[in-house]
């Protein structure tokens, strides 16, 4: 296509109007305009020819506007009879061809635009020149560090399995929350030495602060490191260990020598904007294309992670040592007048308030309008008999239905009359919790100041700074922002266990693993037999698989419990799904249903539709084949909160 130029009489390329010289090369360019998905052809002026290659960022004229873009075809064949416009300028280096092809695959896999992914893969500032070739091994000539610093670990620990994890293909490395994963990234960095200089090693961390710490430790060990996004040019040159967070999955390394994704289960790796790609999936595909080993490190790998590669674990003895004591407090028999705190939780917060250098973090991880329906007679939560998720009390529009409504499952859509399945009681109540209420109760219990850590600046401003007090109340944000704790108390964990999403159990266990790592830094004296600190969980579901997995320090307990349910319901990894929403969702869902094949179902209402398919190949081919209607439309493949 010709970037909007009118047909010319001679066809082919034209003279560069600025220099009067004839261009002899035509390139394909994807414009940095999300609404435009076409590839346009432009002539390359001789003055720019040496700078233009696949992936180069350029400036072009498109429909009367000067816009940016990326060269996607270095030697294109334009349509005959069209007069081509020249490239206006070269902005700088862009992603290498291998990353460009990876972005094409990701655009298909998550039903998005190539432009959005190329933005992620490109430098935030113009890069005119790349640094020189770097050493491919430890920087022996620069100081006393002649080899990477070895991590100290017991027999059967992380160091013992690091080599196996980076042997070949994709592996899922399960290590305990308090274990140090340094031996895994050390083994990956060692893959730099024997290879060509354009290869590099990729290490991802879920948060930028942790990525910076990993980069610091690798530099101390003597490896050349590029920390993204600041060191984009060094990463583009290759021969380094590239460290970054989610966006670093598209790091501009020409080729991978090895890759490591730390805490691969973390939801921070999932992009919330469309396309809703996840970093560990991109890195695993990238490693497969380059024939490089890839280690997905996780304390509690999900079923989708486990379906990606072989499982590598430390010894059971070592794994148990890396989990702190997890205490489950069963609240089903508690007197309702006790309120939010069991006797065990009260003991914990008073212990922290009475001593020096002690800290207790109380978690009320409730966001949005979700409510947990509980029987007033037996205190049992209302659960779906089909999939085990929480039920919510909603109005029923059916003629002749009960005025009290119906219990409805948001996960699978099943419903039943508003009666307790455990005792038959008809009195149900909805429990609502919030950090402001919890903070007041804790202050009354301890007669001491209490800090709030949450996503709300207003709520945090009402109390003292978290670093100045012994007791902190917060949402999940507290587990990320607090650096040390002796005890973490989950005041009502049932909101996590019964969340209306199919990954509820896995995400609940991930929260427990995050808390376990936090108390693993406890200064309190322990028995020396396992990680210090303690995690206390208040619940009415003490037998839930996620809780039992944490208590036994064995994530496989939850995996085995969830696998059969997912298989029967056709949920990932035993199927694929996408969520479609927006003003144009209904018409798009109808078009998908008309074009779908056997095994594909499309259902939903109120502007939100779910597309289910037997695998991602069928799902993504369908989404790519059906034209999208005009209007607001959001397509989420692998939705996080489905």
């Amino acid at each position: 296509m010709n970037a909007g130029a009118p047909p010319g009489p001679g066809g082919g390329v034209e003279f560069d109007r600025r220099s009067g010289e004839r261009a002899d090369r035509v390139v394909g360019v994807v414009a940095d305009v999300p609404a435009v998905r076409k590839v346009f052809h432009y002539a390359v002026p001789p003055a720019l020819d040496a700078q233009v290659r696949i992936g180069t960022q350029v400036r072009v004229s498109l429909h009367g506007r000067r816009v940016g873009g990326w060269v996607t075809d270095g030697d294109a064949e334009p349509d005959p009879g069209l007069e081509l416009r020249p490239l206006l300028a070269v902005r700088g280096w862009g992603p290498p061809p291998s990353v460009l092809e990876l972005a094409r695959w990701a655009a298909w896999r998550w039903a998005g635009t190539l432009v959005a992914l190329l933005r992620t893969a490109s430098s935030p500032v113009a890069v005119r020149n790349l640094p020189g070739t770097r050493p491919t091994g430890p920087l022996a000539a620069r100081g006393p560090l002649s080899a990477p610093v070895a991590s100290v670990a017991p027999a059967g620990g992380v160091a013992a399995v690091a080599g196996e994890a980076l042997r070949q293909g994709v592996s899922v490395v399960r290590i305990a929350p308090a274990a140090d994963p340094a031996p895994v990234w050390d083994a990956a960095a060692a893959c730099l030495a024997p290879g060509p200089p354009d290869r590099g090693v990729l290490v991802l961390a879920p948060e930028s602060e942790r990525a910076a710490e990993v980069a610091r430790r690798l530099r101390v060990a003597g490896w050349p490191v590029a920390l993204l996004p600041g060191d984009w040019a060094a990463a583009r040159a290759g021969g380094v260990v590239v460290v970054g967070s989610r966006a670093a999955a598209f790091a501009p390394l020409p080729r991978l020598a090895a890759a490591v994704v730390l805490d691969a289960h973390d939801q921070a790796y999932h992009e919330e904007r469309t396309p809703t790609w996840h970093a560990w999936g991109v890195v695993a595909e990238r490693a497969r294309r380059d024939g490089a080993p890839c280690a997905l490190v996780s304390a509690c790998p999900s079923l989708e992670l486990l379906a990606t590669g072989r499982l590598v674990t430390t010894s059971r003895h070592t794994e148990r040592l890396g989990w702190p004591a997890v205490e489950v407090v069963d609240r089903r028999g508690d007197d309702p007048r006790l309120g939010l705190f069991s006797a065990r939780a009260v003991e914990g917060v008073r212990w922290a308030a009475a001593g020096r250098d002690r800290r207790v973090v109380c978690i009320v991880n409730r966001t949005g309008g979700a409510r947990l329906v509980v029987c007033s007679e037996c205190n049992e939560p209302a659960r779906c008999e089909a999939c085990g998720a929480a039920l919510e009390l909603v109005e029923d529009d059916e003629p002749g239905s009960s005025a009290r409504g119906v219990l409805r499952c948001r996960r699978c859509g099943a419903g039943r009359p508003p009666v307790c399945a455990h005792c038959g009681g008809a009195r149900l109540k909805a429990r609502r919790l919030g950090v402001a209420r919890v903070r007041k109760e804790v202050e009354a219990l301890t007669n001491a100041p209490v800090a709030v850590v949450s996503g709300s600046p207003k709520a945090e401003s009402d109390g003292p700074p978290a670093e100045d007090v012994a007791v902190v109340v917060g949402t999940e944000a507290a587990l990320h922002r607090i650096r040390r704790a002796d005890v973490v108390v989950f005041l009502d964990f049932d909101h996590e266990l019964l969340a209306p999403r199919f990954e509820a159990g896995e995400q609940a266990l991930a929260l427990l693993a995050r808390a376990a790592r936090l108390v693993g830094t406890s200064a309190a004296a322990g028995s020396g037999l396992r990680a210090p600190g303690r995690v206390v969980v208040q619940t009415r579901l003490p037998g839930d698989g996620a809780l039992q997995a944490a208590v036994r320090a064995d994530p496989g307990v939850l995996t085995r419990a969830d696998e059969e349910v997912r298989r029967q319901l056709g949920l990932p990894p035993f199927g694929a799904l996408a969520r479609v929403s927006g003003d144009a969702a209904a018409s798009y869902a109808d078009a998908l249903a008309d074009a779908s094949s056997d095994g594909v179902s499309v259902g939903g209402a109120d502007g939100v539709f779910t597309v289910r398919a037997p695998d991602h190949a069928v799902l993504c081919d369908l989404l790519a084949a059906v034209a999208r209607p005009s209007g607001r439309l959001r397509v989420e493949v692998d939705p996080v909160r489905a």
Side-chain angles (χ1 to χ4, degrees):
M1 298 178 187
N2 70 330
V13 297
E14 66 168 13
F15 283 99
D16 182 346
R17 296 188 179 93
R18 295 175 299 171
S19 65
E21 296 180 287
R22 185 176 179 83
D24 59 2
R25 186 155 67 102
V26 177
V27 295
V29 175
V30 171
D32 191 3
V33 181
V36 179
R37 296 173 179 246
K38 300 176 181 178
V39 176
F40 297 100
H41 292 153
Y42 290 88
V44 181
L48 302 179
D49 189 72
Q51 305 174 51
V52 176
R53 58 187 61 83
I54 293 179
T56 299
Q57 291 187 262
V58 295
R59 303 290 292 178
V60 298
S61 176
L62 180 65
H63 302 313
R65 296 173 52 201
R66 183 184 174 101
V67 299
W70 294 266
V71 175
T72 59
D73 188 346
D75 193 8
E77 287 291 336
D79 295 335
L82 295 178
E83 183 180 7
L84 299 179
R85 293 181 178 179
L87 295 178
L88 300 180
V90 172
R91 181 176 185 267
W93 286 82
S98 60
V99 176
L100 176 61
E101 290 307 311
L102 180 74
R104 289 187 192 276
W105 170 83
W108 166 82
R109 171 63 174 76
W110 285 282
T113 62
L114 179 60
V115 167
L117 297 166
L118 289 178
R119 285 177 178 172
T120 302
S122 301
S123 171
V125 298
V127 175
R128 302 290 186 181
N129 300 293
L130 300 183
T133 303
R134 298 193 175 201
T136 56
L139 306 182
R142 302 190 181 184
L145 291 171
S146 59
V149 176
S151 300
V152 178
V158 180
V161 302
E164 171 64 19
L166 272 300
R167 182 169 54 85
Q168 63 179 5
V170 177
S171 63
V172 179
V173 186
R174 196 180 78 194
I175 63 174
D180 185 1
V184 181
W185 72 59
D186 283 345
C191 296
L192 270 181
D198 68 333
R199 297 201 314 168
V201 171
L202 184 58
V203 180
L204 263 61
E207 300 140 349
S208 57
E209 294 83 1
R210 192 175 181 202
E213 174 62 16
V214 172
R216 183 193 66 80
R217 294 178 64 179
L218 281 163
R219 288 190 179 110
V220 168
W223 295 106
V225 174
L227 178 62
L228 293 184
D231 297 332
W232 191 94
R236 180 65 177 83
V240 295
V241 180
V242 176
V243 183
S245 52
R246 178 179 62 228
F250 290 97
L253 283 169
R255 292 173 57 199
L256 280 189
V260 175
V261 181
L262 302 174
D263 291 339
H265 62 272
D266 199 303
Q267 293 299 308
Y269 286 125
H270 288 247
E271 176 61 69
E272 293 190 0
R273 298 169 299 179
T274 54
T276 53
W277 56 275
H278 48 73
W280 63 263
V282 172
V283 173
E285 172 66 16
R286 186 172 184 177
R288 184 192 65 79
R289 290 170 174 237
D290 289 348
C294 174
L296 306 176
V297 182
S298 174
C300 46
S302 65
L303 281 168
E304 290 178 90
L305 280 172
L306 293 171
T308 304
R310 70 188 192 282
L311 178 64
V312 177
T313 65
T314 59
S315 68
R316 284 296 302 133
H317 173 70
T318 300
E319 190 169 26
R320 281 193 293 269
L321 292 180
W323 281 85
V326 178
E327 183 178 344
V328 177
V329 180
D330 186 355
R331 300 217 66 193
R332 289 176 297 178
D334 281 2
D335 189 327
R337 291 173 295 181
L338 290 176
L340 300 176
F341 291 85
S342 65
R344 187 70 182 93
V346 171
E347 178 185 344
V349 295
R350 287 179 174 170
W351 169 81
R356 299 183 60 184
D357 197 28
R358 298 174 180 174
R359 174 163 290 172
V360 171
V361 179
C362 300
I363 301 297
V364 185
N365 192 32
R366 185 186 158 274
T367 59
R371 300 198 301 176
L372 183 65
V373 178
V374 180
C375 176
S376 298
E377 306 292 337
C378 67
N379 223 18
E380 188 78 16
R383 303 184 66 177
C384 176
E385 296 174 343
C387 68
L391 296 173
E392 60 179 351
L393 189 60
V394 298
E395 295 182 0
D396 194 346
D397 297 331
E398 292 295 327
S401 62
S402 169
R404 294 182 296 128
V406 63
L407 290 172
R408 184 79 63 190
C409 177
R410 290 174 57 189
R411 181 193 292 177
C412 69
R416 73 164 192 254
V419 176
C420 177
H422 186 258
C423 71
R427 296 177 55 202
L428 303 175
K429 59 184 179 182
R431 295 183 54 83
R432 297 183 67 92
L433 297 174
V435 291
R437 174 183 169 185
V438 174
R439 177 184 168 228
K440 291 179 180 179
E441 294 203 14
V442 175
E443 286 180 334
L445 288 170
T446 61
N447 196 28
V450 176
V452 172
V453 176
S454 68
S456 170
K458 181 180 183 303
E460 295 184 15
S461 65
D462 293 339
E467 59 270 15
D468 296 340
V469 298
V471 182
V472 177
V473 171
T475 61
E476 181 185 348
L479 300 178
H480 295 263
R481 290 163 54 183
I482 300 297
R483 296 304 174 197
R484 182 191 63 80
D486 301 302
V487 180
V488 172
V489 182
F490 289 93
L491 294 175
D492 197 334
F493 205 60
D494 297 342
H495 282 282
E496 303 300 328
L497 298 175
L498 299 178
R501 50 183 181 263
F502 71 86
E503 295 177 330
E506 293 174 346
Q507 294 179 17
L509 182 57
L511 276 181
L512 296 176
R514 168 70 69 167
R517 178 179 296 165
L518 181 61
V519 302
T521 63
S522 169
S527 64
L529 298 179
R530 65 192 307 170
R534 181 174 292 270
V535 177
V536 179
V537 184
Q538 297 187 157
T539 180
R540 295 171 183 80
L541 304 167
D544 188 89
L547 292 175
Q548 292 304 308
V551 169
R552 302 180 192 179
D554 182 8
V557 172
L558 176 62
T559 300
R560 292 186 289 272
D562 272 2
E563 184 173 4
E564 187 57 33
V565 174
R566 297 262 198 104
R567 192 185 301 275
Q568 291 179 358
L569 296 177
L571 294 171
F574 307 107
L577 59 88
R579 183 165 56 194
V580 180
S581 59
D583 297 337
S587 58
Y588 187 54
D590 290 341
L592 290 172
D594 292 340
S596 62
S597 58
D598 292 341
V600 177
S601 64
V602 181
D606 300 325
V608 180
F609 298 84
T610 299
V611 185
R612 296 176 181 266
D615 55 52
H616 282 101
V618 173
L619 175 66
C620 297
D621 281 345
L622 174 64
L623 295 174
V626 176
R628 300 191 180 188
S630 60
R632 188 174 63 87
L633 184 67
R634 177 177 171 86
V635 180
E636 302 171 73
V637 180
D638 304 333
V640 176
R641 296 177 180 85

